[in-house]
């Protein structure tokens, strides 16, 4: 289940100054923003607060993966920053995800949306199998999503290629956030399981995470305007 805007721009910049200069061209009505490990390690909570103060919905994409107590406390710290969405790794297990969910309950209706990463979109089947998993990538993603839903989380990060199956399996209110989005004709870079925005929407994705397709565009606003017109 989504609310507009549905595009989350991944602010993968190497310094706070460039990130803020880029954000200056954007409006919270056009997009949400994602702060990942690179930028957070550079800009820290101060940057996140700045973006929240600018009225952007911020997805703090730090993919927490640790023991239950540590992850629960990290989720509380994220909620204190006023972020809209935060995530953990489903591979951290049911106890860890439940601890995160329970910790956020004190925030009531103001709690950030809590989602879990199933399998990174940069994995391909060979690499996944090489980690020792018996199931194939698609089966593993479904199982990890099931664990996520049972732990009471709001949804998962998944590739658009898995979104249709997850939508059918877990229903309309399970939030699907899909990175690995590329405009037709764009390079795939390090992503393996990619889709166009249209394909991701058709597959049932709620929110599209778009990094380089927008941040490297000479006209990011125009790209956003064009994409928003089809939502
Ligand atoms: O530039 P690009 O559109 O590939 O950026 C994708 C963003 O989504 C990056 O910030 C990356 O860290 C993030 N992400 C991902 N795969 C996941 C979870 C997050 O690519 N499973």
């Amino acid at each position: 289940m989504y609310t507009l805007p549905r595009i989350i721009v991944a602010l993968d910049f190497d310094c706070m100054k460039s990130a803020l200069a880029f954000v200056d061209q954007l409006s919270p009505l056009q997009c949400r923003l994602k702060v990942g490990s690179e930028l957070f390690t550079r800009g820290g909570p101060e940057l996140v607060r700045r973006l929240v103060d600018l009225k952007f919905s911020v997805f703090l994409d730090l993919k927490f993966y640790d023991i239950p107590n540590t992850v629960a406390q990290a989720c509380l710290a994220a909620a204190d920053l006023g972020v809209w969405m935060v995530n953990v790794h489903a591979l951290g297990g049911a106890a860890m995800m439940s601890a995160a969910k329970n910790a956020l309950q004190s925030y009531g209706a103001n709690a950030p949306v809590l989602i879990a990463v199933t399998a990174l979109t940069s994995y391909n089947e060979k690499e996944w199998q090489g980690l020792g998993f018996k199931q194939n990538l698609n089966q593993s993603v479904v199982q990890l999503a099931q664990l996520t839903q049972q732990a009471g989380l709001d949804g998962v990060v998944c590739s658009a290629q898995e979104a249709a199956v997850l939508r059918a399996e877990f229903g309309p209110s399970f939030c699907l956030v899909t990175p690995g989005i590329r405009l037709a004709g764009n390079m795939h870079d390090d992503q393996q399981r990619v889709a166009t925005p249209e394909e991701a929407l058709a597959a049932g994705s709620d929110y599209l995470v778009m990094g380089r397709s927008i941040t490297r565009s000479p006209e990011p606003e125009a790209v956003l305007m064009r994409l928003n017109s089809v939502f």
Side-chain angles (χ1 to χ4, degrees), residues 64 66-77 95-100 103:
F64 297 134
D66 211 313
I67 58 171
N69 181 58
T70 304
V71 167
Q73 295 305 320
C75 286
L76 277 182
M96 187 209 85
M97 288 195 280
S98 300

Side-chain angles (χ1 to χ4, degrees), residues 153-165:
L153 273 62
D154 301 302
V156 291
V157 184
C158 63
S159 87
Q161 294 176 19
E162 292 124 22
V165 172

Side-chain angles (χ1 to χ4, degrees), residues 10-12 34 36 59 61 63 87 117-122 157-158 179-182 188-191 209-213 215:
L11 290 180
D12 293 324
K34 183 174 87 65
F59 169 17
D61 178 24
K63 304 182 180 68
N87 62 355
V117 176
T118 52
L120 297 171
T121 42
S122 54
V157 184
C158 63
I181 305 293
R182 288 293 178 273
H188 288 191
D189 306 300
D190 52 349
Q191 297 285 19
V209 174
M210 298 185 69
R212 287 162 285 191
S213 302
T215 56

Side-chain angles (χ1 to χ4, degrees), residues 41-118:
T41 307
R42 301 264 179 208
E46 187 197 334
L47 170 76
V48 176
R49 279 194 212 99
R50 292 271 287 272
L51 300 174
V52 171
D53 287 347
L54 290 169
K55 307 280 179 251
F56 281 96
S57 299
V58 177
F59 169 17
L60 187 63
D61 178 24
L62 297 181
K63 304 182 180 68
F64 297 134
Y65 181 61
D66 211 313
I67 58 171
N69 181 58
T70 304
V71 167
Q73 295 305 320
C75 286
L76 277 182
D80 285 344
L81 288 175
V83 303
W84 158 71
M85 178 178 271
V86 64
N87 62 355
V88 301
H89 265 286
L91 282 168
M96 187 209 85
M97 288 195 280
S98 300
K101 177 74 194 170
N102 291 339
L104 290 179
Q105 253 154 23
S106 57
Y107 277 80
N110 294 324
V113 179
L114 178 62
I115 59 172
V117 176
T118 52

